[in-house]
């Protein structure tokens, strides 16, 4: 059995992140298309927009605004678990 080296793991991680982003974009486009069918393109002034503040992300889809809190993301990047993972990663 072959040993997994650091380079192949990095390629796997990068491809997993890119795949997740592509799937999220496809889901957002399907979501926007389904909502647009119900309202019509002429009735919508803002089909899709994203705005960020210090603690929130505001997503607007077909004139409906959604608010997502980013405090969990900030807490994750400040966590000791992420720090330990980064240290182990760089030790490889």
């Amino acid at each position: 059995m072959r040993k997994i080296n650091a380079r192949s793991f990095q390629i796997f991680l990068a491809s997993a992140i890119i795949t997740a982003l592509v799937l999220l974009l496809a889901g957002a486009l399907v979501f926007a298309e389904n909502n647009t069918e119900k309202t019509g393109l002429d009735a919508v002034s803002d089909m899709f927009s994203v705005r960020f503040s210090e603690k929130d992300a505001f997503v607007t889809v077909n004139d409906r605004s959604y608010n997502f809190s980013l405090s969990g993301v900030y807490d994750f990047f400040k966590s000791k678990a992420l720090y330990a993972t980064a240290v182990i990663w760089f030790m490889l």
Side-chain angles (χ1 to χ4, degrees):
M1 199 171 188
R2 273 183 35 191
K3 183 179 176 184
I4 298 174
N5 59 18
R7 181 69 180 152
S8 63
F9 182 73
Q10 289 172 348
I11 292 171
F12 171 76
L13 188 63
S15 64
I17 291 171
I18 291 171
T19 302
L21 290 175
V22 168
L23 290 175
L24 284 172
L25 177 64
L29 292 175
V30 168
F31 181 73
E33 182 180 357
N34 287 341
N35 283 341
T36 305
E37 287 177 356
K38 297 174 187 173
T39 59
L41 287 175
D42 296 332
V44 176
S45 63
D46 191 7
M47 286 181 59
F48 184 77
S49 68
V50 179
R51 293 183 319 261
F52 294 99
S53 69
E54 289 187 20
K55 296 191 178 197
D56 295 322
F58 302 100
V59 179
T60 303
V61 178
N62 293 334
D63 293 334
R64 293 184 202 137
S65 184
Y66 303 95
N67 184 10
F68 299 101
S69 175
L70 297 178
S71 63
V73 175
Y74 293 142
D75 292 341
F76 171 72
F77 282 112
K78 293 179 183 177
S79 69
K80 291 181 181 179
L82 180 65
Y83 178 74
T85 304
V87 168
I88 291 170
W89 175 263
F90 287 121
M91 287 175 63
L92 294 177

